[in-house]
């Protein structure tokens, strides 16, 4: 069990004014059996009213609309979370997690991973063995992919970021009939948001982080889950203007003493 303090900032800077800006944010961690939210604050600039709801996967969402002209948009979320990975997530299995999506489909290049998985009988061990192989074969390379990159494209080029590691693992697990879901959140340290997967085996969900070749533990904070990254987009919006935009993200997670 750990107490984690987190701070997350996202800023969009536009090259000119935008108006009639509608947005949907998946930026809030949620209470689960493995994490309990003790403090939570959210600030959005420009100031506007927010409607809170949940998506089809139970992820908390914030909706808003800014009518007035503005050349930047930002939100800041911070709080305290008690994590306890010893609690077992017996959450319901949605059978949609058995099936590939356009971003998590592999048609070739799976053979080295599947051959190793076949040496194991337990689904978790199969997933861990493939994750270990991916960790040693795949190269972490920032900016080598984008949000639309598929698992096949990333596997073919042999490099990518945490989203790509996770998409490849989702494709491999689902190919073997192991239900698996995409998870977006934070990991202890400083930098950006993180992604990993959870497989459903032994009657519960188990988190695996292929980017760092480890089982997910108390050092992680979950924000959202879904079939792939498209279900966990943190900031989605539309606005009126002919401008370009630049996004910056900063995440910091530190451990606090337990009371």
């Amino acid at each position: 069990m750990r107490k984690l303090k987190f701070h997350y900032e996202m800023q969009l800077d536009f090259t000119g004014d935008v108006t009639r800006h509608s947005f949907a944010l998946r930026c809030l961690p949620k209470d689960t059996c493995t994490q309990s939210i003790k403090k939570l604050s959210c600030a959005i600039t420009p100031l506007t009213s927010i409607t809170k709801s949940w998506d089809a996967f139970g992820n908390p969402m914030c909706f808003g609309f800014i009518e007035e002209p503005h050349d930047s948009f930002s939100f800041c979320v911070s709080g305290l979370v008690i994590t306890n990975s010893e609690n077992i997530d017996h959450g319901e299995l949605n059978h949609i997690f058995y099936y590939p999506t356009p971003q998590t489909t592999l048609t070739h290049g799976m053979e080295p991973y599947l051959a190793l998985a076949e040496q194991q009988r337990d689904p978790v061990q199969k997933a861990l063995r493939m994750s270990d192989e991916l960790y040693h074969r795949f190269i972490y390379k920032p900016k080598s992919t984008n949000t639309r990159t598929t698992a096949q494209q990333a596997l073919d080029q042999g490099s990518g970021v945490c989203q790509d590691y996770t998409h490849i693992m989702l494709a491999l697990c689902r190919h073997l009939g192991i239900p698996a879901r995409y998870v977006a959140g934070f990991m202890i340290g400083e930098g950006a948001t993180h992604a990993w997967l959870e497989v459903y085996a032994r009657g519960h969900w188990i988190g695996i982080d292929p980017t760092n070749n480890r089982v997910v533990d108390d050092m992680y904070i979950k924000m959202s889950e879904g079939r792939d990254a498209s279900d966990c987009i943190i900031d989605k919006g539309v606005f009126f203007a002919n401008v370009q935009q630049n996004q910056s993200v900063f995440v910091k997670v530190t451990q606090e003493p337990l009371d």
Side-chain angles (χ1 to χ4, degrees):
M1 180 183 294
R2 297 179 188 272
K3 180 191 286 186
L4 301 181
K5 180 181 180 181
F6 72 92
H7 180 84
Y8 172 49
E9 296 180 15
M10 191 287 297
Q11 172 138 351
L12 287 176
D13 291 306
F14 306 109
T15 54
D17 283 340
V18 304
T19 60
R20 289 176 281 174
H21 182 178
S22 298
F23 58 86
L25 308 176
R26 288 183 185 86
C27 61
L28 304 177
K30 59 181 178 179
D31 278 305
T32 70
C33 66
T34 59
Q35 65 181 37
S36 176
I37 313 302
K38 297 303 180 183
K39 291 184 181 179
L40 186 64
S41 63
C42 180
I44 295 177
T45 306
L47 185 64
T48 187
S49 60
I50 296 296
T51 300
K52 293 184 180 180
S53 184
W54 290 265
D55 67 13
F57 298 101
N59 303 314
M61 297 191 68
C62 296
F63 298 91
F65 178 74
I66 305 171
E67 174 75 34
E68 299 78 12
H70 54 285
D71 61 6
S72 66
F73 171 73
S74 66
F75 60 86
C76 175
V77 181
S78 58
L80 282 174
V81 179
I82 302 296
T83 59
N84 189 352
S85 57
E86 292 185 1
N87 291 335
I88 297 176
D89 184 357
H90 291 289
E92 181 181 357
L93 169 61
N94 186 332
H95 281 70
I96 198 171
F97 296 124
Y98 275 103
Y99 303 106
T101 65
Q103 278 195 294
T104 60
T105 297
L106 290 176
T107 59
H108 57 272
M110 295 184 287
E111 293 78 10
Y113 305 96
L114 299 181
L116 292 169
E118 288 173 358
Q119 299 173 12
Q120 310 294 325
R121 298 184 64 181
D122 179 68
V124 177
Q125 292 304 317
K126 289 179 181 287
L128 289 173
R129 191 66 187 88
M130 292 189 295
S131 176
D132 180 72
E133 186 70 10
L134 182 63
Y135 176 79
H136 288 96
R137 282 177 174 264
F138 202 69
I139 299 172
Y140 185 87
K141 188 176 181 181
K143 300 181 180 180
S144 61
T145 56
N146 57 52
T147 57
R148 297 178 299 277
T149 301
T150 67
Q152 190 67 68
Q153 290 169 335
L155 187 63
D156 287 345
Q157 73 176 33
S159 62
V161 294
C162 58
Q163 173 180 297
D164 305 299
Y165 281 83
T166 303
H167 280 164
I168 293 169
M169 277 298 299
L170 288 172
L172 291 168
C173 288
R174 291 169 181 168
H175 181 82
L176 291 174
I178 304 171
R181 64 190 182 190
Y182 186 101
V183 179
F186 312 134
M187 186 180 181
I188 196 164
E190 229 175 77
T193 54
H194 193 45
W196 58 94
L197 73 149
E198 292 176 341
V199 298
Y200 192 85
R202 306 170 187 169
H204 59 277
W205 291 100
I206 301 169
I208 298 174
D209 179 1
T211 309
N212 293 293
N213 198 24
R214 58 183 292 182
V215 174
V216 172
D217 56 18
D218 294 340
M219 299 294 194
Y220 295 74
I221 300 173
K222 179 192 289 190
M223 278 198 301
S224 59
E225 61 199 36
R227 296 163 298 176
D228 57 32
S230 66
D231 288 330
C232 301
I233 295 174
I234 296 175
D235 173 30
K236 182 182 290 186
V238 294
F239 51 76
F240 284 80
N242 183 18
V243 298
Q244 294 183 334
Q245 64 183 38
N246 180 63
Q247 182 187 65
S248 59
V249 173
F250 175 75
V251 175
K252 184 175 183 179
V253 179
T254 56
Q255 184 174 341
E256 299 283 301
L258 285 168
D259 298 334

